[in-house]
């Protein structure tokens, strides 16, 4: 299906979703948020898709935040609904059950950083700039930024970024665990695809078990999280890929995962 503000492209089992409003630095308006909801639903249900890469069109921005022109006239009730709609999208991405990589090609500010933080891996160009600048607008992050930044980077960094509202460069973002990897900008696409293809060749149910145990189980407290891990571990023994992975290791050959 064609979208107004997104480009969708498959390369083997890797689905590339590109936010495509470069003249507005890919700012998240309601249409784009709704389209992302749909695009991630489709990626979840398409069996051929094993990994999703999310990026922004143009050379300047991943996403420069929620659309300020759309946001400024909202009533408090509308703002609550807007926040919830954004948060639901972020949770949808985080709980997709397939790895999602944010390919951060430029500004990742406000809702842009919140979107990147909902992804499982964040690979940034060395030229990228990141931040939660909402306080400069008299606002606070509303798409989960206060909570995910806290979990990724700790309370000190979350408070520093959200209170000061300043942009940080990719190197500092890496030092704070806000991104997982940095590469020279001209290598961003190739390095991200290499990573995506590595994940696409892995056993999808094993990846899913890891994602569920870390993302969902990790929020449930230690014992509940350990129980979650045990269930996912046991479930892996029902898959062909587990039989293939362990027998390939014992036969000293490369595994060929079938995906179930
Ligand atoms: N919402 C709506 N429009 C946005 C936007 C946003 N979050 N971020 C950028 N844009 C638009 C600009 O209004 C401009 O549109 P125009 O050409 O029609 O006037 C266009 O994108 C280009 O942005 P511009 O500000 O001219 O680029 P710049 O290189 O001078 O500055 C930024 C880049 C990212 C520093 C600056 O755009 C910015 O601060 N954006 C807002 C970041 C923010 O506060 N995000 C959190 C929102 S809650």
């Amino acid at each position: 299906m064609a979208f107004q503000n997104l480009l969708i492209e498959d390369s083997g089992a890797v689905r590339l979703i590109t936010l495509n409003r470069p003249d507005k630095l890919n700012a998240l308006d309601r249409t784009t948020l709704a389209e992302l909801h749909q695009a991630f639903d489709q990626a979840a249900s398409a069996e051929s898709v094993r990994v999703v890469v999310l990026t922004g069109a143009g050379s300047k921005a991943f996403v420069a935040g929620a659309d300020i022109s759309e946001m400024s006239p909202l009533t408090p009730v509308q703002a609550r609904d807007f926040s919830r709609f954004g948060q639901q999208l972020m949770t949808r991405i985080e709980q997709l059950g397939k790895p999602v990589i944010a390919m951060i090609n430029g500004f990742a500010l406000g809702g842009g950083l919140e979107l990147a933080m909902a992804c499982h891996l964040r690979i940034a160009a060395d030229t990228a700039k990141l931040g939660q600048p909402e306080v400069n607008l008299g606002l606070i992050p509303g798409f989960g930024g206060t909570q995910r930044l806290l979990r990724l980077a700790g309370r000190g960094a979350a408070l520093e970024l959200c209170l000061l509202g300043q942009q940080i460069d990719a190197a500092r973002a890496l030092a704070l665990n806000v991104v997982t990897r940095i590469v020279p900008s001209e290598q961003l696409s190739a390095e991200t695809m290499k990573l995506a293809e590595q994940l696409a060749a892995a056993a999808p149910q094993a990846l899913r078990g890891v994602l569920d145990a870390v993302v969902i189980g990790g929020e449930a407290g230690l014992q509940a999280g350990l129980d979650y891990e045990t269930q996912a571990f046991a479930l892996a023994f029902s898959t062909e890929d587990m039989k293939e992975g362990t027998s390939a290791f014992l036969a000293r050959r490369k595994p060929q995962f079938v995906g179930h």
Side-chain angles (χ1 to χ4, degrees):
M1 122 164 223
F3 292 106
Q4 188 183 313
N5 294 339
L6 302 179
L7 300 172
I8 310 286
E9 201 182 322
D10 285 349
S11 164
V14 180
R15 174 156 297 178
L16 178 66
I17 301 178
T18 305
L19 288 121
N20 191 29
R21 288 214 306 158
D23 53 324
K24 296 290 177 195
L25 304 187
N26 306 315
L28 298 171
D29 61 0
R30 241 195 121 77
T31 302
T32 308
L33 290 169
E35 290 188 348
L36 282 168
H37 268 281
Q38 271 180 292
F40 277 97
D41 279 348
Q42 288 173 7
S45 57
E47 258 186 54
S48 58
V49 174
R50 292 201 184 171
V51 181
V52 178
V53 174
L54 181 64
T55 195
S59 57
K60 245 178 117 171
F62 172 70
V63 172
D67 190 307
I68 299 168
S69 61
E70 225 185 56
M71 230 174 15
S72 77
L74 296 182
T75 65
V77 168
Q78 289 169 330
R80 179 199 58 196
D81 293 347
F82 187 64
S83 168
R84 282 273 182 249
F85 194 56
Q87 286 181 354
Q88 282 158 4
L89 170 66
M90 306 310 161
T91 301
R92 178 75 185 100
I93 294 172
E94 199 168 52
Q95 298 188 2
L96 196 73
K98 300 178 182 185
V100 183
I101 305 172
M103 180 164 88
I104 304 171
N105 52 312
F107 290 113
L109 300 174
L113 182 53
E114 291 170 303
L115 186 59
M117 289 193 295
C119 300
H120 307 111
L121 298 172
R122 283 162 293 287
I123 179 164
D126 54 359
T127 49
K129 298 270 195 240
L130 304 94
Q132 296 288 167
E134 289 87 349
V135 281
N136 302 323
L137 303 167
L139 278 174
I140 78 159
F143 292 170
T146 58
Q147 302 308 302
R148 289 199 175 84
L149 196 51
L150 176 67
R151 283 160 174 73
L152 275 179
R155 185 184 292 201
L159 286 173
E160 184 183 324
L161 263 69
C162 295
L163 287 175
L164 298 178
Q166 288 169 342
Q167 294 176 17
I168 57 171
D169 63 18
R172 176 131 170 84
L174 183 66
L176 293 175
N177 292 328
V178 172
V179 298
T180 46
R181 200 179 285 195
I182 309 182
V183 294
S185 62
E186 63 280 4
Q187 291 167 24
L188 180 64
S189 174
E191 288 297 319
T192 308
M193 285 314 284
K194 218 191 281 178
L195 191 63
E197 274 152 21
Q198 184 189 331
L199 289 165
Q205 296 311 319
L207 298 182
R208 180 167 191 152
V210 170
L211 290 170
D212 285 355
V214 173
V215 172
I216 302 171
E219 291 298 327
L222 181 60
Q223 193 51 54
L226 290 172
D227 291 343
Y228 216 97
E229 181 186 87
T230 295
Q231 295 303 325
F233 178 78
L235 194 62
F237 284 71
S238 69
T239 64
E240 291 297 315
D241 283 345
M242 181 271 178
K243 292 182 185 74
E244 167 64 7
T246 50
S247 36
F249 175 82
L250 295 172
R252 296 182 179 275
R253 62 176 174 80
K254 211 169 171 286
Q256 293 294 327
F257 293 120
V258 290
H260 52 84

